[in-house]
Amino acid sequence: SSTPMVTFRAFKISKAYFGDVEHVRPNGLILSYPVITSNPELTHGGSINNLMAGRSDENLRELLSLENQVTKSTPPAFIWTTFEDALVPCENSMLFASALRKQGIPFELHVFEKGPHGGSTGDKVSCINNHRFSAWLDMACDWCMDTRSQGK
């Protein structure tokens, strides 16, 4: 069976939800305006601070820079963001895509020019009616079908 993981914000994998998180690997990632790096010039400080939980541990900070954690076993990814995102710079998505490329991991990356952070589906339901970036949802569904049919 195929299991994609979809995220809209920085998150911590819950052991209660997934059980043994050491052995959980989704078949694909759908990342929406993701916080990828802990680099202070490019990150969303609030997300990293929450994940750091008040600790000033540089090793932990480095572990939270996901562009440095990509390996050959990282799942393929569909990544989207917007150029106008004032909270999480689009460079986060580009850093992750670059790291995936270096490891030979397939990805699809979309950087839409217009749209705020947190735009969700970009339609009337999300109160941000933007027909351009609302296309990401259909694109992600197509990507899931293509990735599943290719057995990746």
Side-chain angles (χ1 to χ4, degrees):
S1 96
S2 185
T3 308
M5 179 175 280
V6 181
T7 71
F8 285 94
R9 303 239 182 222
F11 69 96
K12 183 166 77 173
I13 294 176
S14 167
K15 191 169 188 171
Y17 183 74
F18 286 110
D20 184 3
V21 295
E22 295 294 319
H23 298 95
V24 172
R25 182 191 178 273
N27 295 27
L29 304 171
I30 299 175
L31 305 176
S32 304
Y33 36 84
V35 176
I36 295 296
T37 189
S38 64
N39 176 336
E41 294 176 19
L42 297 174
T43 195
H44 178 258
S47 294
I48 296 300
N49 290 341
N50 286 339
L51 291 169
M52 295 283 295
R55 294 172 283 202
S56 59
D57 179 341
E58 285 307 309
N59 290 330
L60 176 58
R61 181 173 287 281
E62 181 64 22
L63 282 171
L64 293 174
S65 275
L66 300 181
E67 74 276 16
N68 299 325
Q69 307 307 320
V70 174
T71 68
K72 296 275 185 209
S73 65
T74 301
F78 179 96
I79 311 160
W80 77 274
T81 188
T82 67
F83 178 80
E84 285 186 343
D85 189 332
L87 294 178
V88 180
C90 61
E91 286 85 353
N92 279 264
S93 295
M94 291 187 258
L95 281 169
F96 196 66
S98 178
L100 291 168
R101 174 75 178 141
K102 287 177 186 171
Q103 292 294 331
I105 307 295
F107 66 89
E108 188 167 322
L109 171 65
H110 297 275
V111 180
F112 298 97
E113 179 184 3
K114 305 283 184 189
H117 184 80
S120 185
T121 54
D123 58 14
K124 292 176 185 174
V125 173
S126 65
C127 300
I128 300 169
N129 202 4
N130 181 321
H131 73 281
R132 291 288 310 278
F133 86 70
S134 67
W136 80 264
L137 191 53
D138 287 336
M139 293 171 159
C141 288
D142 290 344
W143 176 83
C144 284
M145 295 302 292
D146 291 348
T147 301
R148 182 177 176 173
S149 69
Q150 294 168 12
K152 294 179 181 172

